[in-house]
Every structure is written in structure tokens, then in C-alpha cells.
Amino acid sequence: MSPRLCAVPDSTDNLSIFANDLDFWFDNYNRHIMAGHNIILLAMGLAILIGVAWRIRVIKEMPFSANLVDVVISSYLVAAGSLPILHYLGHFQFLQDQFPAGLLMLMPAAFSAPRLKSSGLRRPSTSLWLAVGLALMGYCTIMNSKWSPPGLNADSPSLFAALFLFISMFFFNRYRRFLLGLATIIWIIDLANITSMGSSGIGIVMGAISLSSIINFVHIPGMAIFDFDLRDFIRSLANPCLILDLTGTTEFCNEQFLELSGRKREEVIGGDAIDLFDIPLDWRFKLGPAERFKKVHCHLVKSDGEKMPAELILSEIRNVHGELKNLLCEVFDESERNLLENRLKGETMRFASFIETSQALSSSLELKDVLKSIARAAESLTRSDSCTICTLDQNRRVLRPVYSSEEEYNTEVMNFEIAIGSGLTGAVVADGKPRIQNFDDADQVAVHIPGTGQDDESLLSMPLVARDNIIGTLTLYKGGKQRFEQDDLKMLTVFASQAAAIIESSHLYMKLKASERLYRYSVDLAGDGILFVDFEHGKIVDANEMALKLLKYSRAELMTLRVWELNPEAQMHVTKLLWEEVRQTGWGKLGEVEYLLKDGSRLPASITVSAVSSGEANSIQWMIRDISEYKRNIEKVGFFHQLLERLGEPILLTNTKGKILYSNKAFGDIFRLGSDEIARSDVASINLQGSMLDPLTSCWAKLRGKDYLIDEIQINSVDGAPKKKTVSILPYRCGTGEIKYFIWIFHPPAESGSAEDAQCPPDRANALTIANNDRL
């Protein structure tokens, strides 16, 4: 508003002079007041510009568009404070009245500009606000300038500006709406031609609000620093979410939730949020959570009725006064997480089963138990219905079933052999690669076992490899249109290597066990008693059946004794020294020693002892031979022995197997052999001591199948000249009539005839036979 020009009064009336002086005084007062307001507005506008520059420097992430409102307000204040001063000084008179207020037309565009990045639909609205604001700003400026067209209403710009700002109030939130309301009042004051002091005061209020927001921006909670709407923030979230009121009613949902649930917006907005979820009965959306946020695992019910596992996280939305206004419900899809958890649980169960299986497999090496444990473990690991284990017969080139858990067709499966390369299992052995054939595979290579069912089933066959050699196959079956997966193949691959090693160990164990049984059988059938003695302490650890029979002790009783404790006290030191000698040399013997039997009687015996080593384990084999019968026979044949020794002709005594039991001195002289050499000879064998007994070997061959023999032989004498001798081999029979010994009598040949002619008749041979066992 232009300052009033001071008029000089024409009347000299005193009252008029007083009135003019009073008016001049008020005019000067108003001028000073307005000058003060202008200075305040100018200073406040400059302060806001400085504050905006400082805020931009401090908050680097704040975009410049978020400061446009403060820039517009500061521009208005600077213009409203500086233009009246410039007008008073005589400059820019056409911009004085409505140009500063026209700058307020840019406030709606300034409010809308920060939203350009949050949504693509904001750009046209911002441009529209800007275009309308600039148009009204130019129109108001022109209408109040010297270029204003004549005849137009000067109040129309103020009216249009007030309506524009008033309408824009409905498109923004409370803080922005309040500032737009103040700008609207400024134009209403101009429209009503009210004194400019009111518009200056309102400008000061706007400046104060702007300065307060700049000074206290650090204390503005949350979104106040950022100039965008809460709904825009919710829409920009990647996770599906809902905004609920305190009764659990849905007020807003983003596009991600609609896409996840398959529902339409009108189905969700205004409904009870609990109807969208299959949620625990004790959970409610009607009240805010007790903590800052709560979690719950539930299922989202989609539009088609499908239930999807989900996790809900509820957060409180409070106003600046701390009052709870809404709930933010974020929805997280847990389908993949549940899938991973289920797979992890499955792998954990398989791993636990694998450990249990390893323990079970190592609990026994009996082949039957091992095969049964392997089959059960493989079925458990792959959730199969049955299992068949085959071994490879390398000679026949076929797979032979050795175990099958099939109950209904067990006989058919166990009797069916598969050639290498035939069917699924045979192909696995041919190339050493595991295979899966599911019930719905196009290529069905498995061979049907005759006599079994025709139901659809899936097969998994795995080679059993031990020490780089295929020893068999492990084949699993699933019925009911169940499938095998690659995870089953991977798990079974690890298991099969362990199973093959255990089967191989079991085979070795069974062979060792069979060998041990054979050895035990041969030991038990031995004619001598055998004790197994601890190498370090001399304690008896085992005994064969003959030892138990001879010594009349039980096996448990013998295992409590040391080997020398079986002898009489006077001979204990002798057998103990023998044990110590064997530990040093590995062998020893005693010709005769007595054993004290359990019933108190004594048994004469000879002992042959040897050390047995097996790796790091050492043992002693203590062999006891009963010589009681030998001693009785020696006593009985004492006289007969003297008689035979005094005969001039050689005499020889053998058993039925050709073992030399006795020979007199004449026999040794004629064959030039010592007594020890004769004792080790066997006339039934050509491998003798030298060649002196070769004639006897031929006689023994002729005697085979006969009861007696008279033959003529040649013996090399000491001077090298051969001597002829007639040998008569006569049987000695025991009381039962069975031949027990042969007596060889060597005498000069007959003077005429051959040895064959000198054959005596059977009755004479029988007369020569010693028929009484007590005589020998």
C-alpha cells in the first residue's frame, strides 16, 4: 500500500489544524510500525534461507525438493519485507501490492514435488499445481500493475487466489493444510481490503513455523523429516502388509498382499483381518500387542482356499503424543522356509538313522544278521517297502539273491538269478553305476520276476563295491506309485560303501569262523590231549575233548589252573621249566611225566610243546600223549623181547599202517640201521632213510589186501654182495579177530623151490598167528 502524501491545510481554523496534526501523527506511527514489520519479515525470510542451506548441508540424504516449501515461504517473507522498502525509496512500484502474496501460489506445487520419487503418478499433479500457481501468480501481478487492462474487476485476482489455495488444502495432510490455510487468509485479507498489518502478522506466523521446523528437525520423529505420505511408504514396501485399526479391521493393504492372497481390494478393506488367516485361537488383532511387536506363525487363507504358511509381525503405529492409532501387520511367506525346515528335519532324521545304522551294522559280523541289518537300514533311509541283496557269482556271471525282505513273494525272489547286463540290477553291475526306475518312467528296463505281482513300483539299484571290486547289488522297491528321488540316491551311495565293506568283513569273518570250526573239529578229533596255554602267564585258556577225557576235568575247571599245576608237586618244576624253555626257543618235549587226574589217579604221558604266533598274539600248544598202554605192553613183552633179541634171525614188528614198532638187533645189523633210524622209518613209503629198506617196500605192496605173505628178497651185505633172505609176514590178531600187528621174520631161503612154492597153507599160517593178546 502506498504511503499517504501529507496535505497542507487551507483553513486556518484551529480544529482543522489539530485534526491534521493528529492524522499526520497516526500516519507517521503506522509508517514506523509497518517499517518494523517489513524488517521483521525480511530478517525472518533471510533466516529461513540460511536455515535451509544449513539443513541441506547437515542432512545429505534429504533431497532439495523436501525444502521447497520453506524456500517458498522465505521468498514470500523476503519479498513482503523488501518490496515496501524499495517502493518507499521509489523503486519497483508495480510489484509492491500482490507480487509477494503471489509467491504463495507455488506452495501446492512445492508440497507435491517431494512425491515425484515415491510414485510415477505424482509427476502430472505436481506439474498441474505448478502451472496453475504460476498462472495465478502472473495474473495477480498484472492486474495490480500499470499494465492492467481497463474495465476489469481488480478484486478478481484475490478471489481466484484464495479459492485456489483453499481447494488445495484438501489434497494435503494436516501440517501442509495449516500452512495453505494461512496463505488463503492472506489473500482473503487482501480481498476484503483489510489493513496489511494482518497479512504481515500471518506472514510472521508462517515464518515462525518454518523456522521452528528447521531448528527442531533433529527432534522430529520418523517420517516428518521425509516429505511423503504414509500410504506411499506402505505401497513401496516389498513385503505384503496391512494397516489395521484397533478393532482388527483392515483399513489399507498394499499390492503385494493382494497379489500374495489372490484377493481383490474390496474383499480385504473393511473386513476383519482375522478372517484372512488360519491363526491360533488365542490370537486377536483387536488390541495392540503388549510388546513393541509380536510374531505369530499361521497360515494365510488365499482366495481359492489354499493355506500358505506365513509369519505375521505386528508393529504399533503411534502419533506424536504416543497414542496408539493403528497396527502395521507385515506378512512373510514361509513356504520356502517350511520346505527348507522339512528338508533339514528329514536330513537330520536320515543322519540320525545313518548313525544308528552304523552302530547296528557293527554290532554283529554274522552274515545273516549283517544282511538283515543292511536291508532294514536301507529301507529306513529311503522309506522303501522292501529290499533285496544279491551277491555276484564271478564264475557263472550271475547275481544270486542272498537276502530279501519281501514277505509275500520271498521264495520267488530268492530263487531268481539275474544275468549281468540283464534288467536294471544287471545293468548296474555291468557298468557300476546306480540307477533309478520310477513307476512312471517311459523306459522300463527292469525284469519282472515270474510268480510275483504286476503292481506299479519304483526301483533303486546300487552296486556294492569293496576294494574297487563289485561284490553284489542292493535293490530297493517302493509300491503304491511312490517315487525315488536323487536325494535317496545320494544318501544310499554313502550307505552302500559302508554296507559293502561290512559284507566283505562278514564274509571274511564267516570264512575265519568256518576255518576255526574246522581247526576245532580236527583238534577235537586228535588222539592226543591238547591244551592251549597263555604265553605270558602259563594259564590254560582252552582244551580239546581228548584232554578233558584224559585229565577228567571240565573246561571251566582247567581254565582256572596253570599248566604245571596238573602235575604232582614233585614234578611241577619240571613242566614249569619246559614252559619257560618254550617261551625262549619255541619248542620242547618231555619223554615221560605224570599227570594228577581229578579223581586222584595218575596218568603217565609224554609232552610235546610248541609256541604258536598269530600277528601280535602268541599262544602255546601243549600236547599230552597217554603212554600208559605202551608201558603195560613193554612190561608184558619183557620176556618175549629177550627171546627175540637172542634169536639169530632178524625180527621186525609193524602196525597195520607200516609203522615200525619194534626190531631186534639182528634186523638193524643186516640192514645197517641204528635203532633211531628204524623207529622213524615207514615201510609203506619209498621215502626212507637211504635205500636199505627198499626191499621191504615191495613186500609191503604185495601184502596189501592179504592177511599174510611169504616172499624172497635180496639184501646188500657189508661187502656189497647180495644175500637172499626169505621173509615171512604173519598177522597178529586181537581178541576180536581184527589184525593189529604184523610180525616180519627173516630166515635163509629154502634149498629147493621158490618162495611161491614154499607158501604155507592157511591152517599153518593160522597156527603161526599169535592168537592171544596177552602174549604180546
Side-chain angles (χ1 to χ4, degrees), residues 355 440 516 552 621:
I355 295 177
D440 55 353
E516 182 182 357
K552 299 180 182 180
Q621 183 175 281

Side-chain angles (χ1 to χ4, degrees), residues 176-405:
R176 298 172 179 83
R177 189 177 301 170
F178 179 70
L179 291 177
L180 290 172
L182 293 178
T184 303
I185 293 174
I186 291 176
W187 279 104
I188 292 175
I189 290 174
D190 183 75
L191 179 63
N193 292 321
I194 303 175
T195 176
S196 60
M197 292 182 61
S199 61
S200 299
I202 294 175
I204 292 173
V205 173
M206 292 178 65
I209 294 174
S210 180
L211 278 176
S212 176
S213 67
I214 293 174
I215 294 173
N216 299 316
F217 78 94
V218 176
H219 305 288
I220 298 176
M223 300 298 294
I225 296 179
F226 305 98
D227 198 1
F228 52 82
D229 190 78
L230 180 60
R231 292 175 184 267
D232 297 330
F233 171 72
I234 298 299
R235 288 191 183 98
S236 65
L237 291 177
N239 294 325
C241 56
L242 304 170
I243 294 182
L244 316 175
D245 63 13
L246 299 184
T247 64
T249 302
T250 305
E251 293 186 344
F252 177 79
C253 65
N254 60 0
E255 294 294 333
Q256 288 81 354
F257 180 82
L258 298 177
E259 181 180 353
L260 183 65
S261 63
R263 297 179 182 271
K264 297 181 179 179
R265 189 177 297 275
E266 52 269 21
E267 297 179 21
V268 179
I269 302 300
D272 196 343
I274 202 169
D275 296 335
L276 302 174
F277 302 94
D278 180 10
I279 207 164
L281 297 177
D282 57 347
W283 181 270
R284 288 294 181 271
F285 291 103
K286 297 184 182 298
L287 296 176
E291 299 87 13
R292 185 63 180 168
F293 60 87
K294 278 189 174 181
K295 295 181 180 180
V296 64
H297 295 278
C298 61
H299 289 84
L300 172 65
V301 182
K302 296 186 177 182
S303 58
D304 57 0
E306 179 187 354
K307 294 183 179 180
M308 184 197 75
E311 180 187 34
L312 304 185
I313 298 181
L314 263 61
S315 302
E316 298 176 352
I317 301 177
R318 297 179 179 270
N319 60 14
V320 294
H321 303 293
E323 299 173 349
L324 180 62
K325 293 296 182 181
N326 294 91
L327 297 175
L328 173 63
C329 176
E330 294 182 82
V331 183
F332 295 90
D333 183 2
E334 290 199 319
S335 301
E336 184 175 357
R337 178 180 176 183
N338 281 12
L339 179 62
L340 293 176
E341 286 182 352
N342 292 334
R343 290 185 62 182
L344 181 61
K345 290 180 181 178
E347 294 299 328
T348 303
M349 292 177 61
R350 287 188 176 189
F351 185 71
S353 178
F354 191 76
I355 295 177
E356 294 175 0
T357 299
S358 301
Q359 295 173 348
L361 291 179
S362 59
S363 62
S364 173
L365 283 177
E366 290 288 340
L367 185 59
K368 183 179 179 180
D369 297 336
V370 166
L371 295 176
K372 185 176 181 180
S373 299
I374 289 174
R376 287 184 176 179
E379 291 172 3
S380 175
L381 290 173
T382 57
R383 302 177 183 87
S384 302
D385 298 327
S386 62
C387 175
T388 300
I389 301 174
C390 299
T391 58
L392 177 60
D393 188 338
Q394 291 285 5
N395 296 328
R396 299 172 55 210
R397 303 295 291 170
V398 296
L399 288 167
R400 181 172 54 85
V402 292
Y403 182 84
S404 175
S405 62

Side-chain angles (χ1 to χ4, degrees), residues 421-597:
S422 174
L424 185 74
T425 306
V428 165
V429 177
D431 58 12
K433 296 180 181 179
R435 282 177 171 83
I436 291 177
Q437 177 184 293
N438 287 315
F439 68 93
D440 55 353
D441 289 347
D443 298 330
Q444 298 287 326
V445 298
V447 177
H448 178 257
I449 300 176
T452 60
Q454 296 284 350
D455 296 338
D456 292 335
E457 62 181 0
S458 301
L459 286 76
L460 188 158
S461 188
M462 177 74 61
L464 297 175
V465 181
R467 292 181 292 186
D468 297 330
N469 294 318
I470 296 178
I471 63 172
T473 59
L474 178 69
T475 305
L476 295 161
Y477 302 87
K478 279 187 180 182
K481 295 185 177 182
Q482 301 180 74
R483 296 176 57 85
F484 284 106
E485 304 296 339
Q486 289 299 318
D487 288 344
D488 297 325
L489 196 64
K490 294 177 182 177
M491 177 62 69
L492 204 62
T493 301
V494 179
F495 171 76
S497 61
Q498 183 183 21
I502 293 177
I503 291 176
E504 186 72 5
S505 299
S506 179
H507 278 304
L508 295 176
Y509 170 76
M510 297 304 292
K511 289 180 180 179
L512 179 62
K513 190 174 181 181
S515 176
E516 182 182 357
R517 283 199 300 266
L518 181 61
Y519 174 74
R520 185 75 196 191
Y521 180 73
S522 62
V523 168
D524 286 338
L525 288 181
D528 298 327
I530 299 176
L531 302 176
F532 295 95
V533 180
D534 178 64
F535 191 85
E536 297 295 332
H537 305 96
K539 197 169 185 179
I540 300 172
V541 295
D542 200 1
N544 70 343
E545 294 297 329
M546 182 56 70
L548 302 180
K549 183 178 179 180
L550 288 176
L551 302 176
K552 299 180 182 180
Y553 281 93
S554 67
R555 183 173 281 106
E557 290 172 336
L558 285 177
M559 293 174 64
T560 62
L561 302 174
R562 288 179 170 82
V563 68
W564 54 82
E565 293 175 349
L566 292 170
N567 304 105
E569 185 175 356
Q571 296 182 358
M572 283 186 184
H573 70 285
V574 177
T575 51
K576 187 174 182 181
L577 288 174
L578 177 62
W579 168 73
E580 294 176 349
E581 179 185 352
V582 172
R583 291 184 63 195
Q584 297 294 328
T585 64
W587 185 86
K589 65 182 300 186
L590 287 176
E592 183 178 347
V593 70
E594 287 188 337
Y595 275 91
L596 189 62
L597 308 186

